[in-house]
Amino acid sequence: MKSQSGETTDGPDIRLAAMNLLARREHSIAELREKLRKRYSNEHEIEHQLVRLKEERLQSDERYAESYVRMRTAKGYGPRRVTQELKQKDIDSACIARAFEANEMDWPDLAKQVLEKRFGHGRPMDIKDKARRQRFLEYRGFAREHFEHLI
């Protein structure tokens, strides 16, 4: 939208919409951009407001990645899966690595908890059961070294 002087008035609306989204939860810059593009067509103003939010530290991919790692590990997902999901959300590898460092995890212990929740405390009954448990943990994003002693 343009005012009588010819300048766009979308800026405050875009900023408010972005801040409302950030008030609910952390968002990556890519998520914010996508959500704002659905509501506003002024691409230049969207980018301008995103840069401002980042400069003012109201939006941070670092905080988003740390929050995401905490959330997904709490749901029983391993480092490979969480890393892949963050890369799909356009979070850079260095930021992902820092998020994992900030959320120190005992991956073998988490793999054990996830395995016991799904299959109980017993050992695999046969080779088929062993393979099934292994596939489950790999799907969840755990590396072999996290669970090989459990199976």
Side-chain angles (χ1 to χ4, degrees):
M1 185 183 321
K2 292 196 178 208
S3 67
Q4 290 178 348
S5 62
E7 60 194 43
T8 63
T9 58
D10 281 345
D13 293 340
I14 292 171
R15 182 176 174 83
L16 180 61
M19 290 179 69
N20 285 337
L21 290 167
L22 289 168
R24 290 185 196 105
R25 70 168 175 87
E26 293 288 344
H27 285 72
S28 70
I29 199 82
E31 274 183 325
L32 272 178
R33 183 178 292 116
E34 182 181 325
K35 288 180 179 187
L36 292 172
R37 282 178 179 166
K38 288 178 183 176
R39 293 173 63 182
Y40 302 98
S41 59
N42 189 339
E43 193 74 33
H44 174 72
E45 191 60 38
I46 290 171
E47 288 305 315
H48 174 70
Q49 294 301 327
L50 291 175
V51 167
R52 279 187 62 202
L53 290 168
K54 198 166 187 126
E55 287 172 351
E56 295 168 7
R57 305 258 321 132
L58 295 172
Q59 187 286 324
S60 167
D61 281 351
E62 298 263 340
R63 280 195 316 262
Y64 172 77
E66 286 178 22
S67 169
Y68 193 85
V69 168
R70 271 192 310 277
M71 176 192 64
R72 295 303 279 169
T73 55
K75 290 186 177 189
Y77 289 94
R80 288 181 175 178
R81 173 98 178 244
V82 176
T83 298
Q84 177 188 10
E85 291 172 352
L86 283 169
K87 284 183 179 179
Q88 288 174 343
K89 295 176 182 293
D90 290 332
I91 305 297
D92 66 75
S93 297
C95 188
I96 294 170
R98 287 189 296 274
F100 277 109
E101 285 174 19
N103 292 289
E104 294 179 22
M105 287 298 303
D106 183 354
W107 297 112
D109 185 52
L110 182 60
K112 180 181 179 188
Q113 291 173 24
V114 169
L115 189 66
E116 287 176 353
K117 183 176 180 182
R118 175 85 163 113
F119 295 100
H121 294 284
R123 303 287 289 172
M125 291 184 252
D126 56 19
I127 194 118
K128 237 178 154 175
D129 189 30
K130 183 178 179 177
R132 198 169 113 230
R133 293 173 188 222
Q134 186 174 328
R135 278 192 311 273
F136 171 73
L137 288 170
E138 287 173 346
Y139 169 78
R140 282 294 187 109
F142 293 98
R144 240 181 231 287
E145 60 265 13
H146 298 146
F147 65 80
E148 65 188 349
H149 65 286
L150 302 170
I151 297 181

